[in-house]
Amino acid sequence: MATVLLTGGAGFIGSHTALEFLNAGVDVVVVDDFSNSSPKALDRVQKLTGKSLTSYNQNACDAEGMRRVFANCRFDAVVHFAGFKAVGESVAKPLEYYRNNIDSALTVCELMREYDVRKIVFSSSATVYGSAKTMPILESFETGRCTNPYGWTKFMIEQILLDAAKADPNLSVTLLRYFNPVGAHESGEIGEDPLGLPNNLAPFITQVAVGKRAKLNVFGNTYPTPDGTGVRDYIHVVDLAQGHVAAYQHATPGAHIYNLGTGKGTSVLEFVAAFERATGVHIPYEIVEPRPGDVAVCYADPKRAEQELGWTAKLGLDEMCRDAYNWQRKNPNGYRD
Ligand code: WQD
């Protein structure tokens, strides 16, 4: 049976992806330093699937430690999630973001070469498109107009992987550009567990819904959108996770880039209304100043993933809101309960 290595595999996307790989009959090894995740997530993935996985408490920048992981197992592929991911924090701590995110990616690539692992799927982000002028966004659109160090690290790692694929004809590189992942596994056992004040919309709303926050601050309503609030392409994390399995199953030598989104744009106020409809919970909000660096509109054209990977997002806003709330209600303090 094939085995894949998931770096950062205990995180929000990583844990959901580990579950989908196990359900697809692929063995999973996880490396995670649990600096922004919990081993509990992996316990629950194993309980939900009835299958076991191997995990290492390991920082992906530590080459010696990572070499022991590669020496212990013949990996068919690496799915690289490990990295810092808070946009605002990256503006305040750029050196830590460049060091951690670039160093971990290079360490993984060098060990893949040393142990002849020939497939990598990389957790990239629509943030590499910067503020695209036309919608929906195609993979062929210009990248590299990032608006924060976090986005620049994703752009730079994409470049490293594309150059590595050019230099080694046996290497398969797949860049998955996520739009806005939200939701949780329907069991409510695993989900999004941000440390401190949530940066992102969905976890903030679910914390309001369970009474941890008094109200949602809506960052601006003067954008050129139907109701003036920001428009994004929200995608259910289970759909996103299944996109990783599809990408791995279709991995061939060369470089491949896919948008993982639904192709639908939803405004902040539309998301709030969908959440209230799906859960019956009122979400009080106040319109405040726009957040610096935010783009007005961002949504995907996901046709290439559909045509080449046979993958499309199947779950809609109702399921995203229902499942996000179910996770938060069952775990008001995330994995710290
Ligand atoms: C969505 C919309 C906000 C919070 C970022 C990263 C991206 C990825 C996802 C990591 C916007 C509005 C938000 C709030 C609000 N991260 N909002 N009040 O900024 O589209 O994308 O997170 O991979 O790379 O760039 O996501 O959820 O922060 O914001 O009004 O308290 O919700 O203005 O319109 P974003 P978000």
PDB file of all heavy atoms in Angstrom, residues 228-259:
ATOM      1  N   GLY A 228     -21.856  45.738  -0.946  1.00  0.00           N
ATOM      2  CA  GLY A 228     -20.755  46.568  -0.458  1.00  0.00           C
ATOM      3  C   GLY A 228     -19.727  45.821   0.385  1.00  0.00           C
ATOM      4  O   GLY A 228     -18.644  46.345   0.692  1.00  0.00           O
ATOM      5  N   THR A 229     -20.044  44.547   0.759  1.00  0.00           N
ATOM      6  CA  THR A 229     -19.071  43.817   1.600  1.00  0.00           C
ATOM      7  C   THR A 229     -18.241  42.871   0.721  1.00  0.00           C
ATOM      8  O   THR A 229     -18.648  42.532  -0.403  1.00  0.00           O
ATOM      9  CB  THR A 229     -19.793  43.008   2.703  1.00  0.00           C
ATOM     10  OG1 THR A 229     -20.637  42.015   2.118  1.00  0.00           O
ATOM     11  CG2 THR A 229     -20.620  43.937   3.584  1.00  0.00           C
ATOM     12  N   GLY A 230     -17.105  42.445   1.262  1.00  0.00           N
ATOM     13  CA  GLY A 230     -16.143  41.649   0.475  1.00  0.00           C
ATOM     14  C   GLY A 230     -16.737  40.334  -0.004  1.00  0.00           C
ATOM     15  O   GLY A 230     -17.501  39.692   0.707  1.00  0.00           O
ATOM     16  N   VAL A 231     -16.368  39.961  -1.224  1.00  0.00           N
ATOM     17  CA  VAL A 231     -16.857  38.722  -1.849  1.00  0.00           C
ATOM     18  C   VAL A 231     -15.714  37.712  -1.949  1.00  0.00           C
ATOM     19  O   VAL A 231     -14.619  38.049  -2.414  1.00  0.00           O
ATOM     20  CB  VAL A 231     -17.447  39.011  -3.243  1.00  0.00           C
ATOM     21  CG1 VAL A 231     -17.737  37.720  -4.011  1.00  0.00           C
ATOM     22  CG2 VAL A 231     -18.725  39.847  -3.109  1.00  0.00           C
ATOM     23  N   ARG A 232     -15.990  36.482  -1.494  1.00  0.00           N
ATOM     24  CA  ARG A 232     -14.966  35.428  -1.520  1.00  0.00           C
ATOM     25  C   ARG A 232     -15.579  34.118  -2.016  1.00  0.00           C
ATOM     26  O   ARG A 232     -16.790  33.950  -2.042  1.00  0.00           O
ATOM     27  CB  ARG A 232     -14.400  35.188  -0.105  1.00  0.00           C
ATOM     28  CG  ARG A 232     -13.649  36.385   0.479  1.00  0.00           C
ATOM     29  CD  ARG A 232     -12.347  36.641  -0.213  1.00  0.00           C
ATOM     30  NE  ARG A 232     -11.568  37.709   0.406  1.00  0.00           N
ATOM     31  CZ  ARG A 232     -11.744  39.005   0.174  1.00  0.00           C
ATOM     32  NH1 ARG A 232     -12.696  39.407  -0.673  1.00  0.00           N
ATOM     33  NH2 ARG A 232     -10.979  39.917   0.773  1.00  0.00           N
ATOM     34  N   ASP A 233     -14.692  33.171  -2.340  1.00  0.00           N
ATOM     35  CA  ASP A 233     -15.107  31.836  -2.803  1.00  0.00           C
ATOM     36  C   ASP A 233     -14.883  30.865  -1.647  1.00  0.00           C
ATOM     37  O   ASP A 233     -13.789  30.341  -1.459  1.00  0.00           O
ATOM     38  CB  ASP A 233     -14.231  31.464  -4.018  1.00  0.00           C
ATOM     39  CG  ASP A 233     -14.658  30.153  -4.653  1.00  0.00           C
ATOM     40  OD1 ASP A 233     -15.262  29.307  -3.949  1.00  0.00           O
ATOM     41  OD2 ASP A 233     -14.378  29.974  -5.857  1.00  0.00           O
ATOM     42  N   TYR A 234     -15.960  30.638  -0.880  1.00  0.00           N
ATOM     43  CA  TYR A 234     -15.844  29.746   0.279  1.00  0.00           C
ATOM     44  C   TYR A 234     -15.999  28.301  -0.182  1.00  0.00           C
ATOM     45  O   TYR A 234     -16.939  27.979  -0.908  1.00  0.00           O
ATOM     46  CB  TYR A 234     -16.895  30.113   1.340  1.00  0.00           C
ATOM     47  CG  TYR A 234     -16.695  31.510   1.878  1.00  0.00           C
ATOM     48  CD1 TYR A 234     -17.462  32.575   1.401  1.00  0.00           C
ATOM     49  CD2 TYR A 234     -15.684  31.791   2.794  1.00  0.00           C
ATOM     50  CE1 TYR A 234     -17.245  33.873   1.844  1.00  0.00           C
ATOM     51  CE2 TYR A 234     -15.461  33.085   3.242  1.00  0.00           C
ATOM     52  CZ  TYR A 234     -16.242  34.125   2.763  1.00  0.00           C
ATOM     53  OH  TYR A 234     -16.009  35.417   3.198  1.00  0.00           O
ATOM     54  N   ILE A 235     -15.060  27.457   0.278  1.00  0.00           N
ATOM     55  CA  ILE A 235     -15.094  26.051  -0.127  1.00  0.00           C
ATOM     56  C   ILE A 235     -15.053  25.185   1.111  1.00  0.00           C
ATOM     57  O   ILE A 235     -14.289  25.456   2.049  1.00  0.00           O
ATOM     58  CB  ILE A 235     -13.911  25.711  -1.079  1.00  0.00           C
ATOM     59  CG1 ILE A 235     -13.878  24.206  -1.395  1.00  0.00           C
ATOM     60  CG2 ILE A 235     -12.575  26.222  -0.590  1.00  0.00           C
ATOM     61  CD1 ILE A 235     -12.894  23.807  -2.468  1.00  0.00           C
ATOM     62  N   HIS A 236     -15.894  24.140   1.139  1.00  0.00           N
ATOM     63  CA  HIS A 236     -15.962  23.246   2.295  1.00  0.00           C
ATOM     64  C   HIS A 236     -14.627  22.504   2.438  1.00  0.00           C
ATOM     65  O   HIS A 236     -14.096  21.977   1.450  1.00  0.00           O
ATOM     66  CB  HIS A 236     -17.101  22.246   2.128  1.00  0.00           C
ATOM     67  CG  HIS A 236     -17.518  21.579   3.412  1.00  0.00           C
ATOM     68  ND1 HIS A 236     -16.692  20.729   4.121  1.00  0.00           N
ATOM     69  CD2 HIS A 236     -18.673  21.657   4.126  1.00  0.00           C
ATOM     70  CE1 HIS A 236     -17.330  20.297   5.211  1.00  0.00           C
ATOM     71  NE2 HIS A 236     -18.513  20.846   5.237  1.00  0.00           N
ATOM     72  N   VAL A 237     -14.132  22.436   3.657  1.00  0.00           N
ATOM     73  CA  VAL A 237     -12.799  21.844   3.885  1.00  0.00           C
ATOM     74  C   VAL A 237     -12.766  20.365   3.478  1.00  0.00           C
ATOM     75  O   VAL A 237     -11.728  19.851   3.054  1.00  0.00           O
ATOM     76  CB  VAL A 237     -12.370  22.021   5.364  1.00  0.00           C
ATOM     77  CG1 VAL A 237     -13.290  21.287   6.326  1.00  0.00           C
ATOM     78  CG2 VAL A 237     -10.919  21.630   5.576  1.00  0.00           C
ATOM     79  N   VAL A 238     -13.918  19.687   3.534  1.00  0.00           N
ATOM     80  CA  VAL A 238     -13.952  18.275   3.100  1.00  0.00           C
ATOM     81  C   VAL A 238     -13.779  18.206   1.578  1.00  0.00           C
ATOM     82  O   VAL A 238     -13.036  17.363   1.056  1.00  0.00           O
ATOM     83  CB  VAL A 238     -15.246  17.584   3.561  1.00  0.00           C
ATOM     84  CG1 VAL A 238     -15.420  16.223   2.908  1.00  0.00           C
ATOM     85  CG2 VAL A 238     -15.254  17.464   5.084  1.00  0.00           C
ATOM     86  N   ASP A 239     -14.410  19.118   0.854  1.00  0.00           N
ATOM     87  CA  ASP A 239     -14.193  19.169  -0.608  1.00  0.00           C
ATOM     88  C   ASP A 239     -12.723  19.447  -0.904  1.00  0.00           C
ATOM     89  O   ASP A 239     -12.100  18.828  -1.771  1.00  0.00           O
ATOM     90  CB  ASP A 239     -15.053  20.277  -1.247  1.00  0.00           C
ATOM     91  CG  ASP A 239     -16.495  19.845  -1.480  1.00  0.00           C
ATOM     92  OD1 ASP A 239     -16.720  18.648  -1.772  1.00  0.00           O
ATOM     93  OD2 ASP A 239     -17.395  20.693  -1.371  1.00  0.00           O
ATOM     94  N   LEU A 240     -12.170  20.395  -0.148  1.00  0.00           N
ATOM     95  CA  LEU A 240     -10.771  20.763  -0.355  1.00  0.00           C
ATOM     96  C   LEU A 240      -9.861  19.557  -0.103  1.00  0.00           C
ATOM     97  O   LEU A 240      -8.961  19.249  -0.889  1.00  0.00           O
ATOM     98  CB  LEU A 240     -10.411  21.895   0.601  1.00  0.00           C
ATOM     99  CG  LEU A 240      -9.056  22.562   0.396  1.00  0.00           C
ATOM    100  CD1 LEU A 240      -9.053  23.419  -0.853  1.00  0.00           C
ATOM    101  CD2 LEU A 240      -8.689  23.408   1.600  1.00  0.00           C
ATOM    102  N   ALA A 241     -10.125  18.840   0.970  1.00  0.00           N
ATOM    103  CA  ALA A 241      -9.309  17.666   1.325  1.00  0.00           C
ATOM    104  C   ALA A 241      -9.385  16.612   0.224  1.00  0.00           C
ATOM    105  O   ALA A 241      -8.375  16.032  -0.183  1.00  0.00           O
ATOM    106  CB  ALA A 241      -9.783  17.091   2.662  1.00  0.00           C
ATOM    107  N   GLN A 242     -10.589  16.403  -0.299  1.00  0.00           N
ATOM    108  CA  GLN A 242     -10.734  15.411  -1.376  1.00  0.00           C
ATOM    109  C   GLN A 242     -10.009  15.860  -2.642  1.00  0.00           C
ATOM    110  O   GLN A 242      -9.526  15.034  -3.422  1.00  0.00           O
ATOM    111  CB  GLN A 242     -12.226  15.150  -1.627  1.00  0.00           C
ATOM    112  CG  GLN A 242     -12.868  14.392  -0.481  1.00  0.00           C
ATOM    113  CD  GLN A 242     -14.379  14.275  -0.581  1.00  0.00           C
ATOM    114  OE1 GLN A 242     -15.010  14.834  -1.494  1.00  0.00           O
ATOM    115  NE2 GLN A 242     -14.990  13.581   0.376  1.00  0.00           N
ATOM    116  N   GLY A 243      -9.864  17.173  -2.801  1.00  0.00           N
ATOM    117  CA  GLY A 243      -9.094  17.688  -3.935  1.00  0.00           C
ATOM    118  C   GLY A 243      -7.634  17.278  -3.842  1.00  0.00           C
ATOM    119  O   GLY A 243      -6.983  17.008  -4.860  1.00  0.00           O
ATOM    120  N   HIS A 244      -7.110  17.135  -2.628  1.00  0.00           N
ATOM    121  CA  HIS A 244      -5.710  16.706  -2.442  1.00  0.00           C
ATOM    122  C   HIS A 244      -5.538  15.235  -2.835  1.00  0.00           C
ATOM    123  O   HIS A 244      -4.545  14.846  -3.452  1.00  0.00           O
ATOM    124  CB  HIS A 244      -5.281  16.889  -0.987  1.00  0.00           C
ATOM    125  CG  HIS A 244      -5.129  18.316  -0.585  1.00  0.00           C
ATOM    126  ND1 HIS A 244      -6.200  19.152  -0.429  1.00  0.00           N
ATOM    127  CD2 HIS A 244      -4.032  19.056  -0.319  1.00  0.00           C
ATOM    128  CE1 HIS A 244      -5.771  20.347  -0.088  1.00  0.00           C
ATOM    129  NE2 HIS A 244      -4.455  20.325   0.000  1.00  0.00           N
ATOM    130  N   VAL A 245      -6.531  14.426  -2.487  1.00  0.00           N
ATOM    131  CA  VAL A 245      -6.453  13.003  -2.850  1.00  0.00           C
ATOM    132  C   VAL A 245      -6.511  12.867  -4.371  1.00  0.00           C
ATOM    133  O   VAL A 245      -5.721  12.144  -4.984  1.00  0.00           O
ATOM    134  CB  VAL A 245      -7.587  12.194  -2.178  1.00  0.00           C
ATOM    135  CG1 VAL A 245      -7.534  10.732  -2.600  1.00  0.00           C
ATOM    136  CG2 VAL A 245      -7.486  12.316  -0.657  1.00  0.00           C
ATOM    137  N   ALA A 246      -7.403  13.626  -4.992  1.00  0.00           N
ATOM    138  CA  ALA A 246      -7.514  13.587  -6.464  1.00  0.00           C
ATOM    139  C   ALA A 246      -6.208  14.052  -7.107  1.00  0.00           C
ATOM    140  O   ALA A 246      -5.718  13.446  -8.067  1.00  0.00           O
ATOM    141  CB  ALA A 246      -8.676  14.472  -6.925  1.00  0.00           C
ATOM    142  N   ALA A 247      -5.616  15.102  -6.550  1.00  0.00           N
ATOM    143  CA  ALA A 247      -4.350  15.614  -7.111  1.00  0.00           C
ATOM    144  C   ALA A 247      -3.262  14.547  -6.997  1.00  0.00           C
ATOM    145  O   ALA A 247      -2.497  14.296  -7.941  1.00  0.00           O
ATOM    146  CB  ALA A 247      -3.933  16.884  -6.378  1.00  0.00           C
ATOM    147  N   TYR A 248      -3.191  13.878  -5.852  1.00  0.00           N
ATOM    148  CA  TYR A 248      -2.185  12.810  -5.653  1.00  0.00           C
ATOM    149  C   TYR A 248      -2.426  11.661  -6.635  1.00  0.00           C
ATOM    150  O   TYR A 248      -1.502  11.154  -7.275  1.00  0.00           O
ATOM    151  CB  TYR A 248      -2.250  12.300  -4.214  1.00  0.00           C
ATOM    152  CG  TYR A 248      -1.590  10.964  -4.004  1.00  0.00           C
ATOM    153  CD1 TYR A 248      -0.211  10.830  -4.125  1.00  0.00           C
ATOM    154  CD2 TYR A 248      -2.352   9.820  -3.742  1.00  0.00           C
ATOM    155  CE1 TYR A 248       0.411   9.591  -3.964  1.00  0.00           C
ATOM    156  CE2 TYR A 248      -1.746   8.586  -3.595  1.00  0.00           C
ATOM    157  CZ  TYR A 248      -0.376   8.464  -3.705  1.00  0.00           C
ATOM    158  OH  TYR A 248       0.226   7.239  -3.562  1.00  0.00           O
ATOM    159  N   GLN A 249      -3.685  11.256  -6.790  1.00  0.00           N
ATOM    160  CA  GLN A 249      -4.006  10.113  -7.659  1.00  0.00           C
ATOM    161  C   GLN A 249      -3.718  10.412  -9.129  1.00  0.00           C
ATOM    162  O   GLN A 249      -3.504   9.492  -9.919  1.00  0.00           O
ATOM    163  CB  GLN A 249      -5.479   9.706  -7.464  1.00  0.00           C
ATOM    164  CG  GLN A 249      -5.743   9.080  -6.093  1.00  0.00           C
ATOM    165  CD  GLN A 249      -7.233   8.929  -5.796  1.00  0.00           C
ATOM    166  OE1 GLN A 249      -8.064   9.646  -6.350  1.00  0.00           O
ATOM    167  NE2 GLN A 249      -7.558   7.994  -4.893  1.00  0.00           N
ATOM    168  N   HIS A 250      -3.704  11.694  -9.487  1.00  0.00           N
ATOM    169  CA  HIS A 250      -3.440  12.068 -10.880  1.00  0.00           C
ATOM    170  C   HIS A 250      -2.027  12.604 -11.080  1.00  0.00           C
ATOM    171  O   HIS A 250      -1.697  13.129 -12.144  1.00  0.00           O
ATOM    172  CB  HIS A 250      -4.455  13.124 -11.362  1.00  0.00           C
ATOM    173  CG  HIS A 250      -5.838  12.598 -11.554  1.00  0.00           C
ATOM    174  ND1 HIS A 250      -6.712  12.372 -10.499  1.00  0.00           N
ATOM    175  CD2 HIS A 250      -6.511  12.219 -12.676  1.00  0.00           C
ATOM    176  CE1 HIS A 250      -7.849  11.905 -10.962  1.00  0.00           C
ATOM    177  NE2 HIS A 250      -7.759  11.791 -12.270  1.00  0.00           N
ATOM    178  N   ALA A 251      -1.186  12.483 -10.061  1.00  0.00           N
ATOM    179  CA  ALA A 251       0.144  13.115 -10.139  1.00  0.00           C
ATOM    180  C   ALA A 251       1.006  12.452 -11.208  1.00  0.00           C
ATOM    181  O   ALA A 251       1.250  11.244 -11.177  1.00  0.00           O
ATOM    182  CB  ALA A 251       0.839  13.029  -8.783  1.00  0.00           C
ATOM    183  N   THR A 252       1.459  13.275 -12.140  1.00  0.00           N
ATOM    184  CA  THR A 252       2.386  12.799 -13.188  1.00  0.00           C
ATOM    185  C   THR A 252       3.585  13.753 -13.213  1.00  0.00           C
ATOM    186  O   THR A 252       3.486  14.875 -12.713  1.00  0.00           O
ATOM    187  CB  THR A 252       1.701  12.856 -14.583  1.00  0.00           C
ATOM    188  OG1 THR A 252       1.205  14.191 -14.774  1.00  0.00           O
ATOM    189  CG2 THR A 252       0.547  11.866 -14.665  1.00  0.00           C
ATOM    190  N   PRO A 253       4.703  13.325 -13.795  1.00  0.00           N
ATOM    191  CA  PRO A 253       5.869  14.217 -13.833  1.00  0.00           C
ATOM    192  C   PRO A 253       5.537  15.561 -14.476  1.00  0.00           C
ATOM    193  O   PRO A 253       4.638  15.656 -15.317  1.00  0.00           O
ATOM    194  CB  PRO A 253       6.874  13.440 -14.696  1.00  0.00           C
ATOM    195  CG  PRO A 253       6.512  12.005 -14.480  1.00  0.00           C
ATOM    196  CD  PRO A 253       5.009  11.996 -14.369  1.00  0.00           C
ATOM    197  N   GLY A 254       6.219  16.601 -13.980  1.00  0.00           N
ATOM    198  CA  GLY A 254       5.954  17.945 -14.491  1.00  0.00           C
ATOM    199  C   GLY A 254       5.224  18.784 -13.451  1.00  0.00           C
ATOM    200  O   GLY A 254       4.969  18.337 -12.335  1.00  0.00           O
ATOM    201  N   ALA A 255       4.898  20.005 -13.851  1.00  0.00           N
ATOM    202  CA  ALA A 255       4.278  20.961 -12.924  1.00  0.00           C
ATOM    203  C   ALA A 255       2.800  21.143 -13.274  1.00  0.00           C
ATOM    204  O   ALA A 255       2.447  21.273 -14.448  1.00  0.00           O
ATOM    205  CB  ALA A 255       4.991  22.304 -13.008  1.00  0.00           C
ATOM    206  N   HIS A 256       1.954  21.112 -12.249  1.00  0.00           N
ATOM    207  CA  HIS A 256       0.502  21.218 -12.449  1.00  0.00           C
ATOM    208  C   HIS A 256      -0.050  22.195 -11.418  1.00  0.00           C
ATOM    209  O   HIS A 256       0.321  22.128 -10.239  1.00  0.00           O
ATOM    210  CB  HIS A 256      -0.155  19.844 -12.263  1.00  0.00           C
ATOM    211  CG  HIS A 256       0.592  18.737 -12.967  1.00  0.00           C
ATOM    212  ND1 HIS A 256       0.449  18.486 -14.313  1.00  0.00           N
ATOM    213  CD2 HIS A 256       1.529  17.849 -12.521  1.00  0.00           C
ATOM    214  CE1 HIS A 256       1.243  17.469 -14.656  1.00  0.00           C
ATOM    215  NE2 HIS A 256       1.919  17.076 -13.590  1.00  0.00           N
ATOM    216  N   ILE A 257      -0.931  23.100 -11.861  1.00  0.00           N
ATOM    217  CA  ILE A 257      -1.474  24.136 -10.968  1.00  0.00           C
ATOM    218  C   ILE A 257      -2.996  24.100 -11.036  1.00  0.00           C
ATOM    219  O   ILE A 257      -3.567  24.092 -12.139  1.00  0.00           O
ATOM    220  CB  ILE A 257      -0.989  25.541 -11.398  1.00  0.00           C
ATOM    221  CG1 ILE A 257       0.549  25.598 -11.413  1.00  0.00           C
ATOM    222  CG2 ILE A 257      -1.557  26.612 -10.474  1.00  0.00           C
ATOM    223  CD1 ILE A 257       1.114  26.906 -11.949  1.00  0.00           C
ATOM    224  N   TYR A 258      -3.639  24.064  -9.846  1.00  0.00           N
ATOM    225  CA  TYR A 258      -5.103  24.011  -9.827  1.00  0.00           C
ATOM    226  C   TYR A 258      -5.678  24.972  -8.795  1.00  0.00           C
ATOM    227  O   TYR A 258      -5.212  25.024  -7.641  1.00  0.00           O
ATOM    228  CB  TYR A 258      -5.579  22.588  -9.479  1.00  0.00           C
ATOM    229  CG  TYR A 258      -5.110  21.546 -10.459  1.00  0.00           C
ATOM    230  CD1 TYR A 258      -4.016  20.735 -10.167  1.00  0.00           C
ATOM    231  CD2 TYR A 258      -5.717  21.403 -11.695  1.00  0.00           C
ATOM    232  CE1 TYR A 258      -3.557  19.785 -11.077  1.00  0.00           C
ATOM    233  CE2 TYR A 258      -5.269  20.456 -12.622  1.00  0.00           C
ATOM    234  CZ  TYR A 258      -4.187  19.653 -12.302  1.00  0.00           C
ATOM    235  OH  TYR A 258      -3.725  18.732 -13.215  1.00  0.00           O
ATOM    236  N   ASN A 259      -6.725  25.686  -9.198  1.00  0.00           N
ATOM    237  CA  ASN A 259      -7.551  26.438  -8.246  1.00  0.00           C
ATOM    238  C   ASN A 259      -8.480  25.451  -7.556  1.00  0.00           C
ATOM    239  O   ASN A 259      -9.144  24.667  -8.247  1.00  0.00           O
ATOM    240  CB  ASN A 259      -8.428  27.468  -8.975  1.00  0.00           C
ATOM    241  CG  ASN A 259      -7.636  28.631  -9.522  1.00  0.00           C
ATOM    242  OD1 ASN A 259      -6.583  28.974  -8.997  1.00  0.00           O
ATOM    243  ND2 ASN A 259      -8.149  29.241 -10.583  1.00  0.00           N
TER     244      ASN A 259
END
